[in-house]
């Protein structure tokens, strides 16, 4: 028995580099139900009492050595199979991550803001969920005035001073006038919401950039020059503007501004519907009622305001015919603006 134990110990010691199936064979051969070590344990019953202690120790040693070896062989097999499956070349360059592009609306908004920054305007922002006071009341829309119909509104709550989604960023101008002493020169970019059916030309969410300039002796001529400067920077130095009388509750007088069509150069095409002009913004001299509502003395100060839709300006600049493309985020569309970063 002693020799068999010694021989098995030696055999176990020499096992190395076995495949998984071979390891299982070894396990069965040694420790299986009819395995050699199992058999030795059976025979142990017949060992003379005075030899039990010595053989018992040896047998346990053998059993542990076998179990340990099988564990080692398994670990080695697992490691080598990992290594062979990892047969990639670690010196190969990595897969490049595709870099996204900036959204055309962001590009346009940034461009508009940067032009006005050059004229000394600061950027002001405000909440998208607003109250009636800042969106309508302080801007000279009396509670039941039909002018509110111009901007169909999403209401969050009704009652006294309802909460609503702002329909224009003029609310930021109100907040600025309430908090800042003139002179004021701010540009107010932001997202606005109107209850409109979605079509190629209208959306219930869009972006505006509005501007406000308040100081002593500000005149309509100043307004016209600021708009002309913006248009020439944005559409090119040959761009022309024309102003048409219009109406907004918060400005008096008010005007709508057209820019000469940048596609046909003013001759008339299907983009400008043959007129040679494209409407780009609304503007006017801030109504004295608005100044007073915001705590500014209308006898001392005057000012102008203007507002434009970023999607509309972007559509004109890049001749995008369907506004919905700006919201669908189809990567093929967005990629076209890659070079405009
Ligand atoms: N708030 C107006 C709109 O959303 C735009 C505007 C701003 C017009 C300032 C005049 C002066 O349509």
């Amino acid at each position: 028995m002693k020799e068999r134990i010694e021989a098995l110990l030696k055999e176990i010691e020499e096992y190395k580099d076995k495949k998984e199936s071979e390891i299982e064979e070894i396990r069965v051969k040694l420790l299986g139900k009819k395995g050699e070590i199992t058999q030795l344990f059976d025979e142990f019953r017949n060992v003379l009492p005075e030899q039990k202690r010595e053989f018992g120790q040896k047998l346990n040693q053998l059993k542990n050595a076998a179990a340990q070896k099988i564990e080692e062989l398994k670990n080695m097999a697992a490691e080598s199979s990992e290594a062979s499956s990892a047969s990639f070349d670690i010196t190969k360059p990595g897969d490049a991550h595709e870099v996204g592009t900036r959204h055309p609306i962001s590009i346009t908004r940034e461009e508009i803001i940067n032009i006005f920054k050059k004229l000394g305007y600061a950027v002001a922002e405000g909440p998208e969920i607003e109250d009636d006071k800042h969106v309508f009341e302080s801007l000279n829309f009396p509670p039941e005035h039909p002018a509110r119909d111009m901007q169909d509104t999403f209401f969050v709550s009704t009652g006294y001073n309802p909460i609503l989604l702002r329909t224009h960023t003029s609310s930021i101008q109100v907040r600025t006038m309430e908090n800042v002493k003139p002179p004021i020169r701010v540009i107010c970019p932001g997202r606005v919401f109107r209850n409109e059916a979605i079509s190629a030309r209208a959306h219930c969410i869009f972006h505006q950039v509005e501007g406000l300039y308040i100081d002593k002796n500000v005149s309509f001529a100043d307004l016209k020059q600021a708009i002309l400067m913006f248009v020439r920077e944005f559409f090119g130095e040959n761009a022309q503007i024309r102003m048409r009388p219009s109406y907004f509750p918060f400005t008096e007088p008010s005007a709508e501004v057209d820019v000469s069509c940048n596609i046909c150069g003013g001759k008339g095409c299907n983009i400008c519907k043959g007129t040679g002009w494209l409407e780009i913004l609304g503007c006017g001299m801030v109504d004295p009622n608005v100044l007073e509502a915001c705590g500014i003395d209308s006898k001392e100060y005057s000012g102008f305001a203007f507002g434009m839709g970023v999607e509309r300006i972007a559509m004109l600049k890049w001749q995008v015919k369907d506004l919905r493309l700006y919201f669908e985020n189809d990567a093929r569309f967005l990629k076209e603006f890659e070079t405009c970063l």
Side-chain angles (χ1 to χ4, degrees):
M1 190 171 192
K2 204 171 170 185
E3 287 86 68
R4 276 167 63 202
I5 293 176
E6 297 295 340
L8 277 173
L9 271 173
K10 207 158 176 267
E11 188 183 322
I12 289 168
E13 209 178 301
E14 280 167 7
Y15 285 141
K16 62 175 185 202
D17 291 342
K18 299 286 181 199
K19 282 198 291 220
E20 262 172 58
S21 56
E22 292 170 331
I23 299 168
E24 180 59 13
E25 271 169 31
I26 294 170
R27 192 191 65 79
V28 173
K29 176 176 175 286
L30 297 174
L31 298 166
K33 264 196 182 144
K34 293 192 177 132
E36 294 179 40
I37 297 176
T38 318
Q39 275 177 23
L40 282 171
F41 270 94
D42 283 344
E43 287 168 30
F44 181 67
R45 267 182 272 136
N46 309 325
V47 170
L48 294 174
E50 59 269 29
Q51 291 182 328
K52 276 222 150 103
R53 194 181 148 85
E54 191 196 341
F55 279 110
Q57 274 179 355
K58 281 232 176 291
L59 266 179
N60 277 328
Q61 199 189 342
L62 176 66
K63 192 181 161 193
N64 290 340
Q68 202 183 335
K69 189 67 173 195
I70 287 168
E71 198 57 30
E72 266 173 36
L73 289 173
K74 276 189 186 164
N75 287 343
M76 269 155 63
E79 265 174 37
S80 71
S81 82
E82 251 173 46
S84 65
S85 71
S87 59
F88 57 80
D89 177 0
I90 57 163
T91 62
K92 256 166 92 176
D95 289 336
H97 282 291
E98 252 191 85
V99 179
T101 58
R102 286 178 66 218
H103 196 281
I105 295 302
S106 305
I107 297 169
T108 312
R109 184 190 51 203
E110 217 68 356
E111 205 176 327
I112 298 169
I113 290 173
N114 285 339
I115 293 171
F116 282 102
K117 270 191 181 165
K118 279 198 225 166
L119 288 177
Y121 286 72
V123 175
E125 287 184 339
E128 291 180 349
I129 302 174
E130 262 290 8
D131 57 10
D132 184 278
K133 179 173 174 240
H134 291 91
V135 176
F136 294 125
E137 199 189 310
S138 297
L139 286 162
N140 207 29
F141 290 79
E144 302 303 329
H145 196 285
R148 280 169 196 255
D149 291 347
M150 281 164 64
Q151 302 179 349
D152 275 354
T153 309
F154 289 114
F155 285 92
V156 176
S157 75
T158 50
Y160 174 73
N161 195 19
I163 304 296
L164 43 91
L165 302 185
R166 68 180 177 200
T167 57
H168 52 184
T169 55
S170 304
S171 51
I172 306 174
Q173 304 172 15
V174 173
R175 286 185 179 274
T176 308
M177 286 188 276
E178 283 173 347
N179 294 311
V180 181
K181 240 179 85 65
I184 294 171
R185 220 181 295 172
V186 286
I187 196 92
C188 311
R191 200 155 56 142
V192 300
F193 308 85
R194 291 186 194 174
N195 191 359
E196 303 239 18
I198 296 170
S199 71
R201 296 175 58 88
H203 207 288
C204 56
I205 304 173
F206 58 100
H207 299 78
Q208 283 190 325
V209 176
E210 296 207 352
L212 175 71
Y213 181 27
I214 295 181
D215 205 345
K216 291 179 179 153
N217 303 318
V218 178
S219 73
F220 202 93
D222 298 322
L223 167 62
K224 188 178 167 198
Q225 201 53 37
I227 303 283
L228 184 63
M229 138 89 191
F230 161 70
V231 163
R232 296 214 161 140
E233 285 276 319
F234 193 88
F235 291 102
E237 55 186 340
N238 296 323
Q240 303 289 332
I241 57 167
R242 72 174 185 188
M243 293 177 126
R244 286 177 288 108
S246 185
Y247 171 76
F248 299 102
F250 32 89
T251 46
E252 184 59 38
S254 306
E256 260 161 331
V257 178
D258 297 338
V259 61
S260 51
C261 179
N262 58 330
I263 318 291
C264 62
K267 285 192 218 71
C269 66
N270 62 347
I271 301 286
C272 60
K273 300 207 186 76
T275 63
W277 296 97
L278 301 159
E279 186 194 321
I280 55 156
L281 58 82
C283 62
M285 301 307 291
V286 181
D287 193 300
N289 288 346
V290 173
L291 295 175
E292 297 293 339
C294 298
I296 293 174
D297 184 352
S298 62
K299 290 193 190 66
E300 199 178 349
Y301 292 102
S302 58
F304 63 72
F306 56 87
M308 61 190 106
V310 180
E311 279 79 0
R312 181 163 175 79
I313 301 261
M315 277 171 102
L316 297 178
K317 177 137 182 159
W318 286 299
Q319 294 153 48
V320 174
K321 296 207 176 70
D322 193 328
L323 192 92
R324 288 168 292 197
L325 285 166
Y326 290 126
F327 298 90
E328 283 165 3
N329 283 337
D330 183 327
R332 290 167 300 183
F333 172 70
L334 299 179
K335 266 213 168 288
E336 293 187 33
F337 300 90
E338 225 166 5
T339 51
C340 305
L341 298 178

